[in-house]
Amino acid sequence: MKLNELELSVDYFQFDKKFYQKLESTPLNNPHLISYSKSACDLIGLDYSSCESESFVAFMNGENVLKGSVPYSMAYAGHQFGYFVPQLGDGRAINLGSINGWHLQTKGSGLTRFSRQGDGRAVLRSSIREYIMSEHMHALGIPTTRALALIGSTHPIYRSYDDIDTGAIVMRMSTSWIRIGTFEYFSRGKDAQENLKKLTDYVIKQSYPHLENEDNKYERFYCELVEKTAKLLAMWQAYGFMHGVMNTDNMSVAGLTIDYGPFAFMDTFEMNCICNHTDMEGRYSFCNQPEIARWNLEVLAYNLGKICSFKKLIGYLKSFITIHQKEYLDLMNKRLGLDKRLSKDSNIDLVISLLEALEKSKIDYNCFFYRLSKLKSLDSINSITDISIFRDSIIKWFEEYKKVIENQNQDFKYMKELMLKVNPKFVIKNYMLQEAIENAKNGDFKLTNDLLFIAQNPFLEHKEYDRYSNPTPIEYANIQLSCSS
Ligand code: AMP
Ligand code: MG
C-alpha cells in the first residue's frame, strides 16, 4: 500500500488521562531521509517506493499524520539502577497508533509531558545505532522491537559543551511498548487495582491473546513472561549482547529487547564486561544480566501481586534461572555444533571452560564461533590461534572439545553444518556503527545503508566487507559508551 493509504488505530485512550498525553510532534528543521528497512515495510504492508517520497519524510517528522492516527506519549515509572523513580514516561517518543499489530513510534520528535529535564530529541549517532541494531537483533533471531526508517536533519542538539550534534528520528515499531515500569506507574495512587487490571487485560489482549479467556490469566501471563524473558536473556548471553541499561522501564512485558542505548555486542570475551560508561558499579555487566532480569521480574511481581496471588508469582519466578540455564546451554551447544540427540549431557563443563579459555586467550567472542564453524579440521586451528593474544588456554580447550566430540560420536562435518546456521559471519559491533556514524555526520549515508543490509543478512558473504568479519581492532574492543544520546 502507499503511505497515505495506511490506516492506523489507537487503543490506549481506554485508560485514565493521567496515563498518557495526546500531543503533536515538534518537527525537526530540514529533515531528510537516511534509510528505510524493506523488511520492516513488509510487516505493515508499506510500498518501498512510498519511502522515497517527501510525504514519507513528513510522516517521519510528524508533519503528515496518517488516517486514524492520534499521536500520544505514555507515562511510566521505573527502577533506574535499582532506585525507584515514580515519574518517567515517553520523554522523547510519540506513539502514532498501530497497524497489523505493529505499534509505530517516533523517537526524537520533541518535548512531551514526560520529558523532565530532557530536550525531547535523539541525536544522529544514537539513532543510527538503534536503527541498525533493532534490525540486526531480529535477523539473529533475538526478540526485539523493529525500526522502519531513519531521518536526519540540520537541527542542532547540545549534549555537552564540545559536542554539537544534529537531531534525528527513528520510526520504531513494536508489538508492544508496555514496560515493567508501566505496571509500576499504574499500581500507584487511588484505583490502583482497577487500573492494574485494565492494564494487564490490555497486555494480555495485545501480547498473550491465547490467555484472554483462561482462569488465572494474570498469573499465567506472568508465568509466560518469566519464560520469555529467561529465554531472551539466554540469547543475549549466548551471542554476547549487552543491553547496558536494564532499568525496569527498559524491560518489555512482551519479552522483547527494547530501548537501545549504550548496548554492545561483546568484542573480546570478558565475563565482567560493562558496556555502559555510567554504570560505575557494573550493575548491568555482562554476567549480571540474567540476575538483573530476574530482579526486574520480581519488581513486576510486587506490583502485579496487587491483583492476583503474589505467592504464585514468586513461585513461577523461581523457575527463571533453571529455564534460562537450560536454554543458554542449548544455544551454546548449537554454537559448538554439538547435536544434543547424541548425548544427554548438557556439556556445561565444556561451555564453562570455553568461556574461561576465551577470556584468558583474549579472543573476539563471535569471531571465534564463526571461525570454529569454518575450520577444515580440528587438528588445524590456526585460524583461531591467530586471533588469540595468548594461545595456551584455547589450545588446551580444543583437547577437551575433541574428547567430547569423540565420546559423543559427533560428526565434525555435520557439526559444521549445524554451526553455520547459528554462527553468523557478521555481528554488528560498536566500532562498525561508529564508522557509519562518522560518515553520516559528514553527510555520507552509504555505510549506514550497507551496514543495515549486513545487519539484516549476517549469514551472507558480503565479500566487500570481509574486514568486518575479523576481530574488532584491539584499540576499539570493549570500549564503554555513555547514556547521553
Ligand atoms: P532511557 O533509559 O534512555 O530509555 O531513558 C530514560 C528516561 O529518560 C525515559 O523516560 C526517556 O523518555 C527519558 N529521556 C531520555 N532522553 C531524553 C531526552 N533527550 N529528552 C527527554 N526525555 C528523555
Ligand atoms: Mg527507556
Side-chain angles (χ1 to χ4, degrees):
M1 271 193 278
K2 300 255 171 295
L3 177 69
N4 288 330
E5 289 166 359
L6 296 186
E7 189 161 350
L8 306 186
S9 61
V10 179
D11 55 10
Y12 212 68
F13 304 144
Q14 57 184 287
F15 300 116
D16 191 282
K17 282 196 169 65
K18 68 180 175 202
F19 296 119
Y20 62 85
Q21 178 197 16
K22 287 186 189 173
L23 80 172
E24 283 173 17
S25 302
T26 314
L28 291 169
N29 303 333
N30 303 315
H32 58 87
L33 182 70
I34 296 177
S35 179
Y36 64 92
S37 159
K38 290 182 176 168
S39 143
C41 285
D42 291 343
L43 298 172
I44 58 168
L46 175 61
D47 283 354
Y48 307 153
S49 59
S50 284
C51 298
E52 315 266 357
S53 66
E54 268 177 37
S55 65
F56 185 75
V57 175
F59 159 65
M60 294 284 296
N61 204 19
E63 295 168 304
N64 171 15
V65 178
L66 299 188
K67 244 180 286 161
S69 168
V70 184
Y72 67 98
S73 289
M74 291 189 242
Y76 46 81
H79 276 78
Q80 298 194 308
F81 288 90
Y83 295 98
F84 183 62
V85 184
Q87 175 74 66
L88 293 165
D90 295 326
R92 53 176 166 168
I94 296 183
N95 300 280
L96 307 180
S98 68
I99 178 164
N100 285 356
W102 290 96
H103 295 253
L104 306 188
Q105 184 182 85
T106 50
K107 182 168 174 180
S109 34
L111 292 174
T112 77
R113 199 170 86 202
F114 314 110
S115 298
R116 299 177 297 151
Q117 287 87 349
D119 57 4
R121 295 300 183 194
V123 294
L124 180 62
R125 146 172 62 89
S126 64
S127 304
I128 290 177
R129 288 168 50 77
E130 173 149 16
Y131 175 67
I132 293 177
M133 192 49 63
S134 311
E135 293 301 278
H136 187 43
M137 294 286 269
H138 171 69
L140 294 174
I142 305 178
T144 177
T145 59
R146 301 290 302 274
L148 179 68
L150 167 66
I151 59 168
S153 75
T154 58
H155 215 103
I157 307 285
Y158 304 92
R159 286 284 180 265
S160 64
Y161 291 115
D162 55 353
D163 179 20
I164 303 175
D165 216 311
T166 51
I169 293 175
V170 180
M171 179 75 70
R172 312 196 291 183
M173 314 199 320
S174 182
T175 51
S176 167
W177 285 111
I178 308 298
R179 303 134 192 281
I180 290 182
T182 319
F183 279 78
E184 293 178 84
Y185 196 83
F186 274 63
S187 83
R188 286 162 63 87
K190 78 174 184 18
D191 304 329
Q193 280 191 324
E194 192 191 321
N195 290 328
L196 268 176
K197 276 189 184 159
K198 257 181 141 172
L199 177 67
T200 317
D201 286 336
Y202 174 82
V203 167
I204 289 174
K205 186 166 181 217
Q206 190 170 72
S207 307
Y208 303 82
H210 53 285
L211 298 180
E212 261 187 306
N213 299 314
E214 297 289 324
D215 292 338
N216 306 325
K217 59 182 173 179
Y218 298 153
E219 286 126 359
R220 293 186 60 177
F221 143 63
Y222 183 81
C223 180
E224 288 195 18
L225 176 61
V226 167
E227 183 172 340
K228 275 183 201 242
T229 311
K231 290 183 172 170
L232 175 72
L233 267 288
M235 297 217 67
W236 287 7
Q237 300 306 106
Y239 281 91
F241 177 78
M242 293 171 280
H243 181 283
V245 204
M246 290 175 67
N247 294 335
T248 53
D249 51 300
N250 290 336
M251 288 296 285
S252 155
V253 296
L256 308 169
T257 311
I258 58 170
D259 280 16
Y260 291 84
F263 64 79
F265 269 104
M266 185 100 73
D267 299 296
T268 313
F269 186 77
E270 221 181 284
M271 205 52 165
N272 294 313
C273 192
I274 304 167
C275 68
N276 181 353
H277 178 66
T278 35
D279 183 10
M280 305 290 200
E281 288 167 10
R283 179 180 170 86
Y284 301 136
S285 69
F286 176 69
C287 61
N288 279 358
Q289 294 192 123
E291 168 51 23
I292 289 291
R294 198 208 59 76
W295 189 91
N296 288 339
L297 287 165
E298 195 172 321
V299 170
L300 178 60
Y302 282 116
N303 291 282
L304 196 60
K306 294 181 183 172
I307 56 166
C308 60
S309 159
F310 173 69
K311 223 170 132 195
K312 272 200 193 155
L313 302 183
I314 291 298
Y316 293 136
L317 186 58
K318 289 208 174 101
S319 63
F320 180 89
I321 294 295
T322 323
I323 300 171
H324 170 72
Q325 279 179 356
K326 183 181 175 307
E327 187 72 13
Y328 172 73
L329 287 171
D330 275 1
L331 288 167
M332 292 304 276
N333 271 286
K334 281 192 188 141
R335 295 205 80 180
L336 291 173
L338 297 167
D339 184 348
K340 73 173 182 192
R341 288 170 305 184
L342 297 177
S343 162
K344 287 206 167 55
D345 193 339
S346 68
N347 296 313
I348 185 165
D349 295 338
L350 183 73
V351 170
I352 292 173
S353 61
L354 171 66
L355 299 181
E356 285 166 2
L358 289 174
E359 182 148 9
K360 281 191 189 140
S361 308
K362 296 203 178 297
I363 297 183
D364 188 288
Y365 183 64
N366 282 297
C367 194
F368 166 80
F369 286 103
Y370 182 64
R371 291 194 177 204
L372 182 71
S373 324
K374 292 292 236 186
L375 284 183
K376 296 232 158 49
S377 110
L378 283 167
D379 295 315
S380 95
I381 57 168
N382 288 357
S383 66
I384 287 173
T385 48
D386 284 353
I387 59 165
S388 326
I389 295 189
F390 306 105
R391 301 170 169 215
D392 294 358
S393 307
I394 199 69
I395 291 173
K396 217 167 120 215
W397 178 81
F398 265 95
E399 293 310 314
E400 221 180 298
Y401 185 46
K402 278 201 274 192
K403 267 193 214 133
V404 168
I405 292 172
E406 205 179 314
N407 291 343
Q408 297 179 5
N409 243 331
Q410 306 266 0
D411 169 40
F412 192 60
K413 212 168 136 224
Y414 180 61
M415 285 173 66
K416 285 178 35 160
E417 273 175 42
L418 291 180
M419 284 194 273
L420 282 169
K421 287 190 188 137
V422 291
N423 297 332
K425 178 170 177 183
F426 298 95
V427 169
I428 304 293
K429 317 267 197 52
N430 279 346
Y431 86 97
M432 304 176 195
L433 292 166
Q434 196 50 41
E435 284 182 21
I437 290 164
E438 263 140 41
N439 291 0
K441 280 187 172 173
N442 295 323
D444 175 0
F445 305 114
K446 181 175 183 314
L447 190 53
T448 297
N449 279 291
D450 286 359
L451 265 194
L452 176 73
F453 189 63
I454 297 171
Q456 291 180 321
N457 301 281
F459 292 90
L460 298 187
E461 277 300 316
H462 308 289
K463 274 276 170 228
E464 72 281 29
Y465 284 107
D466 248 358
R467 67 188 172 98
Y468 285 150
S469 69
N470 289 329
T472 301
I474 201 72
E475 62 273 31
Y476 302 124
N478 297 348
I479 285 179
Q480 295 185 340
L481 293 180
S482 82
C483 269
S484 135
S485 57

